[in-house]
Structure formats: structure tokens, C-alpha cells
Amino acid sequence: MDKPVLLIVEDDDALCTQYRFALHEEYSVRFAKNRVQAMKQVVASKPAVITVDLGLPPHTDTAEEGLELLRELLAADALAKVIVITGSNDRANALKALRLGAFDYLLKPVDLDQLRVVLQRATYLAELDAELRWNQGGETPATWFEDILGATPKMREVFDTLTQVAKTDATVLLQGESGTGKELAARAIHARSGRSRGPFVAINCGAIPETLLESELFGSERGAYTGAHMQRKGKLELAHGGTLLLDEIGEMSLGLQVKLLRFLQERRLERVGGRTPITVDTRVIAATNKDLKTEIGAARFREDVYYRISVVVVTMPPLRERSEDIVLLANSFLRRSCEQQRRKLRFSLSAIEAITRHRWPGNIRELENAVERAVIMARGRFIEPKDLAIEAVPESTGLSLRDARNRTERQVLVEALSRCQGNISHAARELGVSRPAIHDLLAKHNVVAGQFRATVRAPQSAGNDAGADGEESDRAREMQP
Ligand SMILES: Nc1ncnc2c1ncn2[C@@H]1O[C@H](COP(=O)(O)OP(=O)(O)OP(=O)(O)O)[C@@H](O)[C@H]1O
Ligand SMILES: [Mg+2]
């Protein structure tokens, strides 16, 4: 069999010689010294694996050029196996590269044995991908838009719209069923906008009790209500210079909608209990899985607010209308889970069939969960339909609103208790509820106030990351037949 092609993007000749010497027996090694040469080599020699030195000319002292090349490589082929190599003091950029989709990273000086292992792993997966593409009778050109994967015309349209709106400060309404990627889209707009260095803040309007939502959004002044000892900034203010995602905006009460409208018109807000308006520069993105027009008809949503937030409307299509994306997404989740679980798996043909037949009412989130589960459940080298547990699944949309509310309620309670160091009266005042109500909440969520008193913290559970990884892979091995 032909040796797999390895492309090394490195501008240091001495290092290139060293790599060639170490790797030429196993790989057909090609070199490129800069971004342009690298992209040419990709077309000419279709490498299975690519290593990229992040410090490429003309910016050898920053990772800019290397990261740009990584983006280009992944845009050309979302499944490209790119290993980045970076200075030992530059872990931050290494992690950034991983987030962009790099396969792995190595710190300089590169340990050649370590490099061999990573290359072997990457080549193995590249071969699986190639086989799978071949089985499917051709390549699907995959595209990433930030963290959003999609190749269907519908998704390309979405990407185009997101690109356009990212350039502006317009308020955007993201609509779509649960699990279609609305939050990802909001993050992508932020990341592509001039505000990307500013904060991205999200608030789930459906999960926060109405009484708390107002101060969560607008903040509160000291003395706004009994027990408000401190001034607290709201999310609108915390997102200053950045973007605020108002998730599940359809759940917001009519009263609060009026206050939001005022902010959207004037870009000024008053904290609860405050008198002086504060001007903040926050871009608002709203998301909903409800049809707001219907909500307006039922007098549950204000038309004037709708017109303010729907300057641009982006609809995230449900997964069942993106059939070509299903396998693409499934493979991408498979690759990620396999890396996390340290397993080598692929879908059997009947699994691929089951995946394409299923209607995915919970959309991409459901697919992601099914694949993660399958990677844990699968025995042997193939994932079978039963591992995916999608055969007889009733239409479920994942997390219900009640679950989300309960989760947030518990979180708000725990946060208040830790701020008040377990003092129930203080926490009650801070949350604006009575002491008996707090006791009910403690019982409901099985929380013990005493554990928040200022005493010595219990040590973190034993073990470090490496240890935990080791356990994972042992467990994974045990599950192999
Ligand atoms: N196109 C995509 N490519 C890769 N991952 C995706 C894509 N769309 C969604 N996901 C993943 O699916 C999950 C659900 O996405 P997200 O939370 O953005 O959906 P949502 O529309 O906000 O859902 P909900 O209405 O339930 O809040 C996330 O884990 C996200 O990373
Ligand atoms: Mg969401």
C-alpha cells in the first residue's frame, strides 16, 4: 500500500531535515514554508495529515498566520487532520487552534516519539474518513461557519445571512426548533463581529423566575429592596461592548417586555431601585423556539417589541430538512467523542441508515447525544443501530422547560447561599422571598445551607486530568470484546 502523505508546514530548514529523517520511512513527506505554498500542496498532494507551525512568516512571532492557515485548511476540508506545533510558552494559541478544529497540538521542542504517536492516530482516522466518503459514493463538501457545521444549501444561506449581520449592530431574531443551533449562531455572529473582543453574555428568559429576571437583566442598586447590600450590574450592562443573547425571549413577561423596549429604543437603562439612566453599548440578539407571531395573536407578546427585535430574522432549519447534513454531523460528533473516549469506532452501514431515517425531533442536540451514547455503548469496532437508541424513541425535545427552570432555580439558590455564606435570612432577602419559601426551596433541591458557611473547604476530589483520562480509556478497553 502507498505510504500516507504527510504535509509539514514549517519555515525552519533545519527542523524540516530532522522531520524528514525521522518520518520518511512511514510517510511520503512534503514540505511547505508558508500559507500559500501549503494550500497549493494540499491541492497537489492531498495529504492525509498536516502539521502546521503556528509561527509562520510573515508574522513569525505571533500565531496569526498559522491560525489563518488552519482556518483555510478546515474550510477547504472540515475533516482535515491538522496538528499544530507551537512554542512552549504559547499554550493559549494551541488551545485556540483546538477550538478551531485542530486535531491535536504539540509544544516545541517537539518530541519525535510523541509526534509519531499523534501522526499515527491522525492517519488512522483520516483513512476511516476516506473509506466512509468512498462508501457514500463521493464527498460532501463540508463547511464550517465558526462552530456551525453544514453543507446543505439551506445552511449556506444561513451562513451568508450570519456573515452579513455580523458586520452590523442590528438586533437579530434567531428562530428555530429546539436544538437547531440558535445559541451557536448567536455566538458565531458575536465572534465574527467587531465586538468579538467584548463579552458574550447569555440569559435564558424562560428559566429565571419573573421576579428575578428584571434585576438579572437590568441590575439593582444598593437598597433597591430590603437586603440588597450591594449594587449589582445586570446582564445588559455586563455585556457592554459585546453581545447579549436573550434566549427564549417568548417567555418574557409583558411587563418586562415594556422595559426591554425602552432599552432597545434609547440604549439606556435604569438599575432596579436606581434613578440615573446608564448608557450601555450592548448588541442584542434574541432567540426563540416559539412562533412569536402566534404569541402576538394570543396577546402574550408585544408587537412593538417584535418589530424592534426582528430587524433581521434568521431561521435555523430543523435537521430533518437538512438530510445531507445528518451524516456529516454524525461523523463529526463521532470523531469528537472517539477522541474524548479514546476509542476507534465507525458507523456500520445499518447505523448510517438508521441515522438518516430517524426524524430527529430534538434536532442536532439529539443527534449529538445519541452519538455520544453510542460511543460509550458500542462493542467492537462498529456502532450499530441499537447503540444509538433511536429506534423507538418517542418524539422528545430533550430538556423540558420545567427541567430548565428547576435547574436555574437551584443554581440561583446556591449562588445566593454562597454569597450569603449560608445565612438563610440574608439569602431570603437577596432573592426577595420569605424564609419559609427558602426552606421549601432547600428541601426541594436537596441543598443544605450549612455547607455554605465560611469554613475550610473540603479538598478537591482526588486525581488529576491525566489519571481520569487513564481510567476512561481503561474502561473503554474493557468494553471492547
Ligand atoms: N450546525 C451545527 N454543527 C455542529 N454542532 C451543532 C450545530 N448545531 C447545533 N449544534 C450543537 O447542538 C447542540 C444544540 O445547539 P444550540 O444549543 O445552539 O441549540 P438551540 O437552538 O439554542 O437549542 P434550544 O432551543 O434547545 O436552546 C449544541 O451542543 C451545539 O453545539
Ligand atoms: Mg438555546
Side-chain angles (χ1 to χ4, degrees), residues 184-200:
L184 272 194
R187 288 181 186 276
I189 294 173
H190 174 73
R192 292 280 173 115
S193 74
R195 298 170 172 269
S196 61
R197 282 159 194 270
F200 177 89

Side-chain angles (χ1 to χ4, degrees), residues 182-183 245 247 365:
K182 297 185 293 295
E183 177 156 355
L245 169 62
D247 211 349
R365 179 176 294 115

Side-chain angles (χ1 to χ4, degrees), residues 6 23 27 49 51 83 115-123:
L6 163 66
L23 301 166
Y27 299 90
V49 190
T51 73
I83 296 149
L115 176 62
R116 277 198 194 91
V117 174
V118 176
L119 285 175
Q120 264 168 17
R121 210 156 48 88
T123 324

Side-chain angles (χ1 to χ4, degrees), residues 136-409:
Q136 285 165 8
E139 285 188 25
T140 325
T143 338
W144 288 95
F145 185 85
E146 296 296 318
D147 288 334
I148 316 175
L149 178 60
T152 43
K154 272 198 173 142
M155 285 311 284
R156 285 183 200 276
E157 255 172 58
V158 169
F159 294 164
D160 285 346
T161 317
L162 295 179
T163 309
Q164 289 305 319
V165 299
K167 293 178 195 156
T168 71
D169 266 348
T171 304
V172 182
L173 176 63
L174 296 166
Q175 51 185 30
E177 292 177 14
S178 180
T180 47
K182 297 185 293 295
E183 177 156 355
L184 272 194
R187 288 181 186 276
I189 294 173
H190 174 73
R192 292 280 173 115
S193 74
R195 298 170 172 269
S196 61
R197 282 159 194 270
F200 177 89
V201 180
I203 182 166
N204 188 330
C205 306
I208 298 177
E210 195 192 323
T211 43
L212 286 179
L213 187 58
E214 180 176 1
S215 58
E216 282 292 309
L217 262 181
F218 294 91
S220 55
E221 287 295 344
R222 181 182 165 156
Y225 36 84
T226 357
H229 320 278
M230 285 182 307
Q231 180 197 71
R232 282 184 67 201
K233 288 187 179 177
K235 304 273 182 184
L236 275 166
E237 210 177 330
L238 290 171
H240 178 68
T243 308
L244 176 70
L245 169 62
L246 292 174
D247 211 349
E248 292 187 33
I249 192 156
E251 301 291 327
M252 192 183 270
S253 71
L254 290 164
L256 209 47
Q257 287 176 35
V258 178
K259 293 186 179 145
L260 175 65
L261 181 65
R262 203 175 316 137
F263 170 77
L264 292 172
Q265 283 167 343
E266 297 167 14
R267 297 288 154 180
R268 290 195 303 180
L269 58 87
E270 276 164 31
R271 299 196 191 108
V272 177
R275 280 189 213 111
T276 25
I278 307 157
T279 305
V280 296
D281 170 30
T282 295
R283 188 217 192 136
V284 173
I285 298 180
T288 180
N289 53 23
K290 287 188 171 172
D291 177 17
L292 291 184
K293 293 263 175 67
T294 314
E295 296 299 293
I296 292 170
R300 282 189 297 256
F301 204 82
R302 291 179 60 103
E303 195 165 18
D304 48 8
V305 176
Y306 178 78
Y307 286 113
R308 274 282 161 183
I309 58 173
S310 62
V311 181
V312 182
V313 180
V314 182
T315 305
M316 302 302 286
L319 191 53
R320 62 183 170 279
E321 289 172 16
R322 305 166 50 185
S323 52
E324 305 96 302
D325 282 345
I326 297 180
V327 175
L328 193 69
L329 283 160
N331 273 318
S332 155
F333 296 139
L334 175 63
R335 188 165 56 133
R336 194 182 62 197
S337 293
C338 278
E339 273 167 36
Q340 281 164 0
Q341 305 282 335
R342 291 171 208 262
R343 299 204 59 182
K344 291 176 181 175
L345 286 165
R346 50 182 291 192
F347 295 114
S348 71
L349 275 183
S350 47
I352 295 271
E353 270 167 33
I355 286 171
T356 36
R357 258 200 330 262
H358 188 64
R359 280 185 62 74
W360 301 110
N363 293 295
I364 301 155
R365 179 176 294 115
E366 186 191 355
L367 175 62
E368 191 176 21
N369 292 341
V371 174
E372 271 172 21
R373 179 201 137 88
V375 168
I376 294 169
M377 298 309 289
R379 320 200 141 246
R381 292 183 57 187
F382 290 93
I383 288 178
E384 298 297 344
K386 67 172 182 347
D387 303 321
L388 290 156
I390 51 174
E391 240 36 293
V393 175
E395 303 251 321
S396 106
T397 46
L399 197 63
S400 74
L401 191 58
R402 200 196 320 126
D403 292 341
R405 275 205 182 108
N406 278 335
R407 227 163 44 176
T408 314
E409 195 178 61

